[in-house]
Amino acid sequence: MKYNYSEIEQKWQKKWEEANIFHAETGSPKPKYYALVEFPYPSGAGLHVGHPRGYTAMDIISRKRRMEGYNVLFPIGWDAFGLPTENYALKTGIHPRVATDANIAHFRQQLKALGFSFDWDREIDTTDPNYYKWTQWIFLKLFEKGLAYKSKALVNFCPNCKVVLANEESQGGVCDRCGSQVVQKEKEQWMLKITAYAQKLLDGLDEVDYLPRIKMEQRNWIGRSEGAEIDFAISGSDEKLRVFTTRCDTLFGATFMVISPEHQFVDKFKDRIENYAEVEDYKAFAAKKSEFERKMQTKDKTGVELKGVKAINPATGKEIPIYISDYVLNNYGTGAIMCVPAHDTRDWEFAKKFGIPMIEVISGGDIEKEAFTDIENGTLVNSDFLNGLTVKQAQEKMFEFLAEKNIGEKKINYNMHDWVYARQRYWGEPVPIVHCEHCGMVPVPYDQLPLELPVLEQFRQSETGESPLVHADEWVNTVCPKCGRPAKRETDTMPQWAGSSWYFLRYVDPHNNDALASEEAMKYWLPVDWYNGGMEHVTRHMIYSRFWHRFLYDIGVVPTKEPYAKRTAHGLILGEDGQKMSKSRGNIVNPDDIVRDYGADTLRTYEMFIGDFEKPAPWSDDSVKGCKRFLERVYNMTDMLIDGDECRPDMASKIHKTIKKVSDDIESMKFNTAIAALMTLINDIYAKGSVNKAELSIFIRLLCPIAPHICEEMWEKIGGEGFASMAEWPKFDADKLVDDTIELPIQIQGKMRGKIIVPVDCDEADAVELAKKEVADKIEGKTIVKVIYIKNKILNIIVK
RNA sequence: GCCGGAGUGGCGGAAUAGGCAGACGCACAGGACUUAAAAUCCUGGGACCUAAAAAUCGUACCGGUUCAAGUCCGGUCUUCGGCACCA
């Protein structure tokens, strides 16, 4: 019989929908399971073949869980605010709302065609006012607690287009549209104080089950470093200059200091700085540099000495010069550093260039050639009371010294910066704040949420880079919620990360009008049991959403500290040329074509069989055909069907081993070997020429999560009860996993020389007897000096 | 620079509490079926030397531990990813 995938797939998708079997019921007595995938950005290009990789994987997990008796929540929605849609609107004049609705409709149809077992009753859309009402609500809570604030921050600005650009629009320091150099411009921006949660985000990682590399990347991103803050007195003044250092042990070697170009110290000592004009020039020079240029010049240090002002090294009591240089960042530590050229590479380069003396305080290197930065080896020298100590010991001693003199203490710093939480764009959530001349920044009252995005005809930013919303006069001009006098609305919108920072909460109770979700639903479903997505979202999206979730926990809104109990990540699907798929390379594969030509089950099977799930894998049209062939062989098993309520004795061991292998492999996301095991089993069945009903029933259920449509069809054919998707997951019988006899490899001097058939758990003596016969010609005339026998594994004979 | 992966046939990839390297699939070759082709089914296969077998060599490279190493240890190279003038 012909495998008519198209007919079968449509038939079962319709049946699933009519029976609504994938609906998740809050409060069901069954154990709950919350499986989550990253919701897509509904772009105009439609679904990418990369989407089904992660989606199929979690669909397999969800379907297996249902078969294991869980109440499964597997939801989907749309992360629909964002730049590409707005840019499309600018180009075509089609309103983002219209484009978004069309794109969502397209994506929905594509996802349905792939047979994912989503609960479509819980579909959400971040651009729906009923959704972003709660995004705004969370923002107001953050504002209330002082975690949302306005501050000057650097933005990418194109001086030619007079537009603020997102990072992805200014790659390589060049404007995406006109190609001119992007400059860093200071602008008042909304910021979220995520740094206040740095330690909590770090500690939370100990409680969750993420892949090790994911935890590593998050720790790296947070970037905790332990050190000390130390005050340096300024000669002839009561003022102090405070620095952060991780190497307080090298204090005796600090021969100069450097402050960032933006440091307020310059203003404070304006009158004493003899070369003030030169310093001002340097500040202007540094401000002009783009982020890109600053990164380019990591080797060549620039800077200017602040003449007429000296600091005093608190350890040596000696005067040292102060420089201003852009290799010191204003937004890390205190914006000022003590410089130990003998033991820090950057300080070394700076000192060499400016002819500043070096003092070796850790022996073990050659500081004429390069800075000696090894902290494991080396002994303190030229350091008075620290001499002879190791770095670790010296640090402890130094902390005591700082405390005694009251000039510093231990301090922990984080590389992570506060989150720039504003875009000068139209297609995003409006920030629900009103600016009043009398009352300052006033939050929009909660009962006036959602603050809806006004319908605009025109989406260009203003000449100065303000949001297009400044053109919406009627919307911008409002009254102050506090004093009732005329006031203006905030025109910046939220970044794309906003809606995705809490969407998993909304799924548990998506139609709630009184809360982001009911307590009952959150208590039942949270945390997310398993979250899979791309590696590219492991830092920003995940850190942002963990931050919001932890904040909501702290104010008593959500019941768990961490949102995601487990997180895995899939690799990219590359083009057939091994390169990342892109329009310009012309190596894009459209999933619609594959579904049309081979079927959804084949696409699903192929994407799971393509290779190691966690690694990138190149697409191969030929391999797709191989998977189609496999499913045809599966389908044709109905022609070899015979009666039987139990696995036949000669098949039992093979089948039960496959049950175990497939069950285990799915749990560890080794989908490729799970499918390989099913292929091996079907080869055995073909070799035998027949399959009985019991055997086929097991096979169908094992394959069902991976290729559900064909399995439903066959389940119906063999008279299975209900849906295969809801049938019981097969269990293996441990007794049936072992065979009566095994093939035992024989080695001589550790080299493979033959095989013998022996009973399981065969005695050493019996095995050796048999082995001697098998390899008689090879040991003839030699003496056996030693025999290594590992039961059921190997027999190694050592001869002389 | 720092941190973390990864290097296995023509290709995608299997196999690590050390125990038959190359499962499974693709591509390829041969056979069956067919007037023929496609499809399907069956068979074959790391390299080298062969009529065939045996032997030898083979998991990036060099060395080590062991009866036995893709797997462990020391070093080197290549490559991918993350962070990055972070003091």
Side-chain angles (χ1 to χ4, degrees):
Chain A
M1 204 179 325
K2 198 179 169 332
Y3 168 43
N4 188 337
Y5 56 87
S6 200
E7 196 178 287
I8 290 171
E9 286 169 7
Q10 280 166 32
K11 167 180 167 186
W12 290 100
Q13 283 162 17
K14 196 163 157 243
K15 285 196 181 233
W16 292 330
E17 191 157 343
E18 281 165 4
N20 202 16
I21 57 170
F22 304 127
H23 177 68
E25 197 61 49
T26 300
S28 146
K30 286 190 204 170
K32 71 97 181 178
Y33 202 87
Y34 187 174
L36 184 66
V37 292
E38 287 167 349
F39 61 164
Y41 175 72
S43 74
L47 206 68
H48 183 272
V49 280
H51 287 113
R53 196 177 193 192
Y55 291 177
T56 305
M58 285 318 288
D59 191 45
I60 290 169
I61 302 290
S62 298
R63 286 173 173 276
K64 178 165 179 274
R65 287 288 178 279
R66 283 192 202 93
M67 295 173 76
E68 288 168 336
Y70 286 85
N71 179 30
V72 173
L73 172 56
F74 185 44
I76 191 71
W78 320 104
D79 186 16
F81 274 131
L83 272 182
T85 309
E86 183 163 339
N87 289 339
Y88 179 73
L90 280 167
K91 213 159 71 185
T92 62
I94 296 170
H95 194 276
R97 176 75 270 156
V98 176
T100 297
D101 288 342
N103 291 346
I104 286 177
H106 184 214
F107 264 70
R108 189 189 291 120
Q109 171 264 317
Q110 287 185 300
L111 290 177
K112 286 192 173 180
L114 286 167
F116 296 128
S117 62
F118 293 128
D119 179 357
W120 287 98
D121 296 341
R122 293 172 185 262
E123 185 180 341
I124 57 171
D125 168 7
T126 55
T127 65
D128 178 351
N130 291 322
Y131 180 89
Y132 68 69
K133 170 181 178 177
W134 299 103
T135 312
Q136 292 172 331
W137 184 89
I138 297 168
F139 175 84
L140 289 180
K141 289 288 173 196
L142 287 160
F143 182 74
E144 245 173 52
K145 301 287 175 191
L147 292 168
Y149 63 99
K150 256 198 151 172
S151 167
K152 285 202 167 168
L154 291 175
V155 294
N156 306 304
F157 188 77
C158 172
N160 183 37
C161 306
K162 294 200 169 56
V163 161
V164 175
L165 300 171
N167 286 332
E168 53 269 29
E169 289 179 307
S170 53
Q171 305 255 326
V174 174
C175 174
D176 236 16
R177 312 171 178 198
C178 71
S180 47
Q181 278 284 315
V182 172
V183 295
Q184 300 292 297
K185 197 173 154 187
E186 263 205 344
K187 213 170 178 309
E188 278 275 308
Q189 296 274 2
W190 281 100
M191 308 277 286
L192 295 188
K193 213 174 171 67
I194 191 170
T195 50
Y197 274 74
Q199 193 58 47
K200 283 182 178 180
L201 291 171
L202 208 50
D203 292 342
L205 289 175
D206 295 332
E207 297 172 23
V208 291
D209 174 21
Y210 296 175
L211 291 181
R213 62 187 171 131
I214 295 176
K215 284 193 183 185
M216 191 206 79
E217 278 194 21
Q218 294 200 4
R219 289 202 177 102
N220 220 329
W221 175 275
I222 296 167
R224 177 187 155 110
S225 73
E226 292 179 36
E229 282 195 359
I230 305 175
D231 289 325
F232 280 62
I234 304 299
S235 281
S237 152
D238 290 338
E239 292 287 338
K240 285 165 183 158
L241 187 52
R242 180 161 267 238
V243 302
F244 172 71
T245 179
T246 52
R247 295 296 304 276
C248 64
D249 53 291
T250 61
L251 185 56
F252 283 90
T255 54
F256 64 104
M257 300 181 82
V258 175
I259 61 170
S260 73
E262 300 85 9
H263 203 285
Q264 74 276 16
F265 185 84
V266 174
D267 266 351
K268 247 187 217 166
F269 284 83
K270 196 171 176 177
D271 300 336
R272 278 182 56 183
I273 298 172
E274 290 162 9
N275 56 341
Y276 188 71
E278 200 190 340
V279 172
E280 281 289 287
D281 281 352
Y282 184 77
K283 284 178 69 168
F285 158 79
K288 238 183 12 212
K289 272 198 204 173
S290 67
E291 185 95 357
F292 185 65
E293 278 175 303
R294 277 179 86 150
K295 276 180 187 163
M296 286 299 284
Q297 312 188 341
T298 50
K299 276 273 144 59
D300 190 24
K301 300 278 181 289
T302 59
V304 172
E305 183 180 353
L306 306 181
K307 293 202 171 121
V309 193
K310 298 271 184 204
I312 296 167
N313 182 323
T316 62
K318 284 189 184 146
E319 280 195 341
I320 55 173
I322 304 169
Y323 286 79
I324 181 169
S325 171
D326 64 0
Y327 85 90
V328 173
L329 307 174
N330 200 44
N331 57 2
Y332 183 76
T334 62
I337 61 171
M338 66 176 216
C339 300
V340 185
H343 305 289
D344 180 278
T345 313
R346 294 148 306 182
D347 298 348
W348 190 89
E349 283 161 8
F350 194 88
K352 275 277 166 194
K353 181 159 177 185
F354 287 85
I356 306 166
M358 300 184 189
I359 302 171
E360 181 181 54
V361 290
I362 315 248
S363 64
D366 179 3
I367 63 162
E368 283 307 310
K369 283 203 196 119
E370 58 178 359
F372 178 65
T373 56
D374 189 346
I375 55 166
E376 300 296 327
N377 307 297
T379 314
L380 273 281
V381 292
N382 299 325
S383 296
D384 195 356
F385 59 93
L386 300 179
N387 284 339
L389 299 179
T390 65
V391 168
K392 272 234 166 86
Q393 293 165 333
Q395 287 187 350
E396 286 312 309
K397 254 289 173 18
M398 188 49 78
F399 287 133
E400 287 170 26
F401 172 80
L402 296 174
E404 239 168 66
K405 299 257 171 183
N406 196 27
I407 52 165
E409 65 271 322
K410 278 193 182 177
K411 170 81 183 177
I412 291 156
N413 261 313
Y414 301 92
N415 280 356
M416 187 169 68
H417 295 163
D418 276 347
W419 174 6
V420 178
Y421 193 75
R423 299 292 182 265
Q424 290 69 44
R425 288 289 180 167
Y426 171 71
W427 196 232
E429 301 88 344
V431 172
I433 293 286
V434 172
H435 296 280
C436 171
E437 271 182 42
H438 308 276
C439 312
M441 293 194 289
V442 181
V444 170
Y446 287 107
D447 60 14
Q448 288 176 27
L449 296 183
L451 170 61
E452 291 202 35
L453 191 61
V455 178
L456 279 189
E457 294 296 323
Q458 201 277 100
F459 318 106
R460 286 214 183 278
Q461 288 179 325
S462 74
E463 283 282 288
T464 53
E466 299 303 318
S467 153
L469 284 175
V470 294
H471 304 304
D473 292 338
E474 270 184 46
W475 183 84
V476 170
N477 294 302
T478 182
V479 291
C480 171
K482 211 164 169 186
C483 70
R485 283 182 271 202
K488 283 186 189 295
R489 289 193 190 283
E490 171 64 58
T491 55
D492 279 5
T493 51
M494 299 187 194
Q496 212 194 332
W497 308 108
S500 60
S501 289
W502 72 283
Y503 75 113
F504 56 92
L505 292 174
R506 190 61 174 170
Y507 282 138
V508 308
D509 190 13
H511 310 297
N512 196 319
N513 259 328
D514 307 316
L516 51 83
S518 76
E519 225 181 292
E520 179 208 355
M522 286 194 283
K523 277 207 170 118
Y524 181 79
W525 288 112
L526 295 180
V528 172
D529 292 284
W530 192 336
Y531 187 20
N532 182 77
M535 252 344 254
E536 69 276 19
H537 293 127
V538 151
T539 45
R540 279 170 303 180
H541 158 62
M542 277 194 82
I543 300 249
Y544 293 153
S545 64
R546 287 184 57 222
F547 161 47
W548 276 30
H549 192 84
R550 186 55 198 261
F551 164 73
L552 291 171
Y553 172 79
D554 287 348
I555 63 167
V557 173
V558 299
T560 60
K561 277 190 189 172
E562 285 290 332
Y564 318 119
K566 175 173 180 163
R567 166 77 187 202
T568 52
H570 56 262
L572 230 51
I573 291 191
L574 307 170
E576 274 201 283
D577 53 3
Q579 300 290 309
K580 200 169 165 178
M581 284 193 191
S582 77
K583 241 187 228 166
S584 57
R585 285 202 187 88
N587 58 355
I588 291 183
V589 177
N590 183 345
D592 289 347
D593 297 343
I594 308 299
V595 170
R596 185 194 59 225
D597 297 342
Y598 302 96
D601 281 335
T602 294
L603 178 62
R604 293 170 60 110
T605 305
Y606 171 64
E607 292 213 10
M608 294 299 98
F609 188 63
I610 190 169
D612 185 338
F613 182 67
E614 288 177 29
K615 296 208 187 91
W619 184 267
S620 159
D621 276 334
D622 283 331
S623 290
V624 175
K625 286 177 199 154
C627 290
K628 169 89 185 298
R629 207 171 292 159
F630 165 63
L631 292 182
E632 276 164 352
R633 279 161 77 83
V634 169
Y635 196 71
N636 288 336
M637 275 196 291
T638 46
D639 295 340
M640 325 179 186
L641 189 60
I642 57 172
D643 270 338
D645 299 331
E646 263 180 59
C647 298
R648 289 164 291 175
D650 56 335
M651 294 303 286
S653 149
K654 282 172 184 156
I655 286 168
H656 283 261
K657 276 179 185 161
T658 308
I659 295 174
K660 181 168 179 356
K661 176 87 180 144
V662 172
S663 303
D664 292 349
D665 282 357
I666 287 177
E667 291 307 316
S668 48
M669 302 197 116
K670 289 160 118 186
F671 303 107
N672 52 341
T673 47
I675 293 166
L678 289 166
M679 287 173 168
T680 307
L681 181 58
I682 208 169
N683 288 344
D684 289 339
I685 289 170
Y686 267 71
K688 192 164 174 66
S690 67
V691 63
N692 79 18
K693 218 171 130 179
E695 293 157 0
L696 188 54
S697 157
I698 289 172
F699 190 97
I700 290 169
R701 284 176 287 153
L702 290 178
L703 180 64
C704 186
I706 299 163
H709 310 87
I710 191 175
C711 290
E712 290 285 8
E713 182 71 12
M714 292 178 70
W715 188 250
E716 188 182 62
K717 277 201 160 78
I718 65 164
E721 229 176 276
F723 288 95
S725 300
M726 292 295 155
E728 196 189 340
W729 185 254
K731 291 191 184 74
F732 63 87
D733 186 341
D735 294 341
K736 295 200 171 118
L737 295 181
V738 274
D739 300 293
D740 300 337
T741 60
I742 55 146
E743 214 180 27
L744 187 74
I746 308 301
Q747 295 184 333
I748 296 172
Q749 322 289 67
K751 295 198 169 173
M752 262 295 295
R753 284 297 181 264
K755 285 173 187 176
I756 52 173
I757 306 286
V758 294
V760 168
D761 296 333
C762 174
D763 286 339
E764 176 166 339
D766 297 347
V768 171
E769 266 327 296
L770 275 167
K772 275 185 188 162
K773 270 181 222 155
E774 170 71 19
V775 295
D777 52 324
K778 298 190 178 83
I779 55 175
E780 211 184 340
K782 292 178 179 155
T783 358
I784 295 174
V785 280
K786 197 176 175 187
V787 169
I788 294 126
Y789 178 60
I790 311 290
K791 211 181 252 183
N792 304 330
K793 277 260 160 119
I794 204 143
L795 178 66
N796 190 4
I797 300 170
I798 313 300
V799 293
K800 227 179 188 170

